[in-house]
C-alpha cells in the first residue's frame, strides 16, 4: 500500500470510529511499521486533519468534527500525483500567461499535494524539454484563445516572416493549435476570402470584435488544413517516398509523421516511408536532420530540392 493510500485508509478508520484506535490496531490494519504510521499521522496533520492522541488509548478525530472533516481536494495515488507534476510543468511550458489566472487555484493545490509526496524532491527528475519554442505575447494569445472559444472575429496585426511585411487582417478563428512547442491560428481571412494559418508569435496585436465569426465546415477545414505534412496548410499535392538506412530505420519505423503515412521494410534492412505533403518546406527541414541516413526517392521535384539544399550547405561550408 502506497503512502497516500495509507493516509486515505487512516482517514477512513478515524472517521468511522467513535473511540480511540490503538497503535497495535492501526499497525495491523495499515500493515505498516511504527515509523511509517508516524509519517502517515504527520501527513494527516499537515492536511489539517483533527487528529487527537488520547494517552494510553490511541488516536481519534476530535468529537466536534468527527464525520465532517474531509481530505482537501481530489484524492490521488502517488502515480497520479506524478502525472499531475508533469502536467504542472507542461502548463508552464505551454504559456504561463494564457492559463495562469484561471488555473492558479488548481495549480496551487497540485503543488501543495506534490510537496507531501515522500519522493517530492525526486520530482525534479521528471522533465519536459521544449525545443524551438518562440516567444508569444501572453495578452495576445489570451485574446485569440477567448475569441476562438466565443466564436468572435478578430482584428490582428501580422508580420509575415516569409514576405517580411506587416498587414492588418480581420479573421474568423477556427482552431488554435500548439505544434512543436509553438502556437498557430487557423482562421478564415476576410481580406483574402480563404483559410490561412498564422503563427501566433508573429501577431503583434489582437482585438476581439463584436461580429460573430464565420464558421468553416469541419470537412472543409480537414481537407484544407489536415491532409498535408506538418504545419503548412493545403490539401496534399504529392506523396514523398523516402528510404532510410538500416541504422536509422529502427527509429523511423516507430515514428508518426502523418496520419496517412505508411511504410514497409525493404529486404536490405532499409525502411521505406510514404508521407503526403503539400508545401515541401517543413518536410525538407525534417529530412535534413536525417542526413546522411535518408534518400528521397520520389517525387523528382522533391528529390531535386533536397539535393539543392545539400549542395548549398556544402558550398557554404567550403568557403
Amino acid at each position: 500500500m502506497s503512502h497516500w493510500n495509507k493516509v486515505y485508509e487512516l482517514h477512513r478508520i478515524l472517521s468511522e470510529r467513535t473511540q480511540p484506535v490503538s497503535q497495535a490496531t492501526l499497525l495491523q490494519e495499515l500493515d505498516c511499521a511504527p515509523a511509517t504510521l508516524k509519517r502517515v499521522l504527520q501527513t494527516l496533520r499537515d492536511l489539517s486533519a483533527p487528529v487527537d492522541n488520547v494517552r494510553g488509548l490511541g488516536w481519534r478525530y476530535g468529537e466536534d468534527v468527527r464525520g465532517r472533516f474531509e481530505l482537501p481536494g481530489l484524492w490521488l495515488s502517488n502515480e497520479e500525483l506524478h502525472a499531475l507534476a508533469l502536467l504542472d510543468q507542461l502548463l508552464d511550458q505551454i504559456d504561463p500567461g494564457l492559463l495562469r489566472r484561471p488555473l492558479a487555484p488548481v495549480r496551487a493545490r497540485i503543488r501543495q499535494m506534490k510537496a507531501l509526496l515522500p519522493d517530492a524532491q525526486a520530482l525534479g527528475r521528471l522533465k519536459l524539454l521544449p525545443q524551438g519554442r518562440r516567444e508569444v505575447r501572453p495578452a495576445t494569445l489570451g485574446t485569440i484563445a477567448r475569441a476562438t472559444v466565443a466564436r468572435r472575429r478578430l482584428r490582428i496585426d501580422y508580420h509575415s516572416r516569409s514576405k517580411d511585411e506587416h498587414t492588418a487582417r480581420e479573421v474568423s478563428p477556427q482552431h488554435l493549435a500548439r505544434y512543436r512547442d509553438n502556437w498557430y491560428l487557423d482562421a478564415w481571412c476576410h481580406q483574402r476570402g480563404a483559410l490561412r494559418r498564422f503563427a501566433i508569435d508573429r501577431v503583434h496585436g489582437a482585438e476581439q470584435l463584436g461580429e460573430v465569426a464565420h464558421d468553416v465546415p469541419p470537412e472543409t477545414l480537414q481537407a484544407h488544413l489536415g491532409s498535408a505534412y506538418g504545419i503548412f496548410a493545403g490539401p496534399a499535392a504529392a506523396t514523398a517516398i523516402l528510404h532510410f538506412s538500416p541504422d536509422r530505420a529502427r527509429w523511423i519505423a516507430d515514428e508518426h509523421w502523418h496520419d496517412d503515412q505508411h511504410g514497409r521494410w525493404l529486404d536490405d534492412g532499409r525502411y521505406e516511408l510514404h508521407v503526403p505533403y503539400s508545401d515541401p518546406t517543413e518536410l525538407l527541414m525534417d529530412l535534413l536532420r536525417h542526413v546522411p541516413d535518408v534518400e528521397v526517392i520520389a517525387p523528382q521535384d522533391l528529390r531535386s530540392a533536397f539535393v539543392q539544399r545539400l549542395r548549398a550547405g556544402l558550398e557554404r561550408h567550403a568557403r
Side-chain angles (χ1 to χ4, degrees), residues 9-264:
E9 184 63 15
L10 178 57
H11 167 69
R12 184 191 64 78
I13 293 170
L14 298 182
S15 296
E16 293 176 351
R17 310 288 177 89
T18 59
Q19 299 299 319
V21 185
S22 68
Q23 174 170 303
T25 300
L26 291 178
L27 293 175
Q28 180 179 3
E29 295 204 22
L30 297 178
D31 189 22
C32 67
T36 301
L37 175 61
K38 183 177 180 180
R39 289 194 295 272
V40 173
L41 284 164
Q42 185 56 51
T43 298
L44 268 183
R45 293 190 178 100
D46 290 341
L47 293 169
S48 302
V51 181
D52 291 337
N53 178 256
V54 181
R55 185 180 296 273
L57 296 177
W59 287 269
R60 68 177 182 184
Y61 275 170
E63 292 184 5
D64 56 333
V65 293
R66 186 188 305 121
R68 292 189 287 114
F69 171 77
E70 293 296 336
L71 292 172
L74 295 173
W75 193 254
L76 303 169
S77 68
N78 284 13
E79 293 77 11
E80 291 166 331
L81 280 174
H82 291 157
L84 277 180
L86 279 174
L87 177 60
D88 189 52
Q89 189 178 152
L90 179 61
L91 288 173
D92 268 333
Q93 293 183 12
I94 287 176
D95 191 85
L98 178 62
L99 300 170
R100 178 185 294 150
R101 186 180 299 171
L103 289 183
V106 176
R107 298 186 68 188
R109 177 64 69 189
I110 291 173
R111 289 168 180 172
Q112 180 184 24
M113 296 173 73
K114 281 164 49 181
L116 295 172
L117 280 168
D119 56 354
Q121 298 271 346
L123 288 176
R125 298 179 183 274
L126 304 178
K127 292 187 177 295
L128 295 168
L129 303 176
Q131 183 180 18
R133 181 175 64 190
R134 299 187 294 269
E135 294 300 319
V136 301
R137 297 165 178 79
T140 298
L141 181 59
T143 298
I144 292 173
R146 287 189 292 273
T148 301
V149 174
R151 308 308 305 128
R152 290 292 183 269
R153 293 189 187 187
L154 284 163
R155 181 179 293 116
I156 62 173
D157 296 321
Y158 190 72
H159 175 250
S160 168
R161 278 194 180 92
S162 59
K163 297 180 180 179
D164 193 22
E165 66 178 16
H166 289 267
T167 57
R169 308 280 191 101
E170 184 173 321
V171 301
S172 288
Q174 306 298 316
H175 291 152
L176 181 60
R178 186 171 175 84
Y179 176 74
R180 293 189 174 184
D181 288 321
N182 288 292
W183 287 100
Y184 297 89
L185 174 67
D186 297 329
W188 178 264
C189 177
H190 292 275
Q191 278 85 342
R192 301 291 189 267
L195 286 165
R196 290 290 185 268
R197 179 166 282 165
F198 302 94
I200 301 300
D201 61 286
R202 304 315 299 161
V203 178
H204 290 209
E207 177 189 359
Q208 180 175 312
L209 305 177
E211 293 91 336
V212 174
H214 168 68
D215 280 329
V216 177
E219 57 273 14
T220 304
L221 278 174
Q222 178 61 28
H224 185 77
L225 302 172
S227 60
Y229 177 83
I231 201 66
F232 291 93
T239 296
I241 302 176
L242 314 168
H243 284 181
F244 292 89
S245 70
D247 287 339
R248 183 65 62 180
R250 293 192 294 273
W251 281 266
I252 297 299
D254 294 328
E255 289 185 0
H256 179 271
W257 289 43
H258 190 278
D259 287 344
D260 296 327
Q261 73 182 46
H262 66 272
R264 65 188 181 101

Side-chain angles (χ1 to χ4, degrees), residues 277-311:
Y277 71 94
S278 174
D279 186 314
T281 306
E282 188 173 3
L283 179 57
L284 287 168
M285 289 190 294
D286 279 348
L287 292 176
L288 289 169
R289 294 190 298 113
H290 296 286
V291 171
D293 294 301
V294 61
E295 179 184 2
V296 178
I297 304 300
Q300 183 58 46
D301 59 348
L302 181 66
R303 181 182 176 92
S304 298
F306 186 57
V307 171
Q308 183 179 2
R309 291 202 176 200
L310 292 174
R311 286 176 177 161

